[in-house]
């Protein structure tokens, strides 16, 4: 049996949480500064166009982007809080150490599609190998977490977000791969919001003609 001390477990949890929390702080800090200067940026962008039609198009695009981003971030934050709370309860029930710390980690990293939950699974498995005397005890928490994020990803998030925002999983994956390669973890946080901005802009600039079906 492996014996672990409380300081060792706290140090391990802190080592896992610190990079994720720092990236989340950078993300929300950048978002805050963007929101502070958004009105000035909006005004400068609108006045940079000469024709009235172009300015109207910019106003419509800007308003639609703000609406979609606010709705997306608010909805995803609420869902991620649920994932974090479910993770804490699950880990507490199975007697896993540092349940609250891993719940916070699940909440933070769930902002990153695909990659975030995978990192949580690896962290849970690594801690399980240290804290559990058996292989089954080390494998059980990651499997239960996979069940939680599977239910969230396959049923809860599509049913809530998909009612207003229709995002192709393939496009989300491509955006995640590209922005992660370009900007690292910060790009992974920003991948889906940037995809939403691009799709909204394209939808206004190149509107689809409605197809009239025969009666």
């Amino acid at each position: 049996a492996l014996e672990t001390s409380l300081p060792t477990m706290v140090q391990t949890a802190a080592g896992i949480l610190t990079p994720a929390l720092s990236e989340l702080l950078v993300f929300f800090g950048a978002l805050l500064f963007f929101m502070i200067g958004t009105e000035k940026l909006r005004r400068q962008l609108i006045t940079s166009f000469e024709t009235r039609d172009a300015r109207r198009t910019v106003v419509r695009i800007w308003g639609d982007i703000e609406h979609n981003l606010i709705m997306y971030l608010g909805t995803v934050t609420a869902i991620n809080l649920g994932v974090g709370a479910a993770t804490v309860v699950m880990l507490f029930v199975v007697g896993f150490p540092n349940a609250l710390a891993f719940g916070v980690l699940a909440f933070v990293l769930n902002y990153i599609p695909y990659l975030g939950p995978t990192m949580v699974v690896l962290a849970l498995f690594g801690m399980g190998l240290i804290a559990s005397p058996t292989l089954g005890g080390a494998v059980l928490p990651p499997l239960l977490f996979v069940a939680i994020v599977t239910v969230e990803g396959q049923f809860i998030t599509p049913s809530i977000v998909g009612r207003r925002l229709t995002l192709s999983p393939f496009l989300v994956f491509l955006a995640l791969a590209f922005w992660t390669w370009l900007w690292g973890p910060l790009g992974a946080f920003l991948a889906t919001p940037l995809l939403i901005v691009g799709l909204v802009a394209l939808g206004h600039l190149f509107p689809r003609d409605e197809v009239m079906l025969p009666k």
Side-chain angles (χ1 to χ4, degrees):
L2 294 177
E3 297 182 358
T4 56
S5 62
L6 181 60
T8 301
M9 290 188 292
V10 171
Q11 183 179 2
T12 304
I16 295 172
L17 286 174
T18 300
L21 291 177
S22 63
E23 291 296 337
L24 185 67
L25 182 62
V26 170
F27 169 68
F28 281 108
L31 181 63
L32 177 62
F33 284 111
F34 173 77
M35 293 176 64
I36 292 174
T38 184
E39 184 60 31
K40 182 179 180 181
L41 178 63
R42 174 177 175 271
R43 204 178 301 117
Q44 290 177 344
L45 184 62
I46 293 173
T47 55
S48 64
F49 291 88
E50 297 180 357
T51 64
R52 180 176 297 179
D53 290 339
R55 292 182 178 182
R56 287 178 178 175
T57 301
V58 172
V59 171
R60 287 195 297 266
I61 292 175
W62 190 277
D64 204 2
I65 287 174
E66 283 187 339
H67 171 74
N68 282 276
L69 286 181
I70 291 173
M71 181 184 65
Y72 169 77
L73 290 175
T75 303
V76 169
T77 298
I79 293 173
N80 290 352
L81 282 173
V83 171
T87 303
V88 172
V89 173
M90 178 270 293
L91 295 178
F92 180 78
V93 170
V94 300
F96 199 81
N98 302 306
L100 181 59
F102 279 97
V104 174
L105 183 68
F107 162 71
V108 172
L109 292 182
N110 208 48
Y111 281 99
I112 308 176
Y114 309 118
L115 183 60
T118 302
M119 295 170 64
V120 178
V121 169
L122 294 176
L124 287 173
F125 182 66
M127 177 63 80
L129 290 177
I130 297 174
S132 177
T134 63
L135 182 61
V139 172
L140 180 61
L143 289 179
L144 293 177
F145 178 76
V146 168
I148 292 173
V149 294
T150 299
V151 172
E152 175 266 323
Q154 297 297 323
F155 300 100
I156 298 177
T157 298
S159 63
I160 297 176
V161 179
R163 291 176 183 176
R164 292 187 177 182
L165 285 174
T166 303
L167 297 176
S168 169
F170 179 66
L171 290 179
V172 172
F173 178 79
L174 287 182
L176 177 64
F178 174 76
W179 292 111
T180 303
W181 168 77
L182 187 64
W183 287 344
L186 182 60
F189 275 114
L190 295 175
T192 303
L194 289 174
L195 176 63
I196 292 174
V197 171
L199 291 177
V200 169
L202 288 176
H204 282 277
L205 294 176
F206 305 99
R208 294 182 179 180
D209 295 330
E210 295 185 359
V211 179
M212 301 298 296
L213 298 176
K215 297 182 179 179

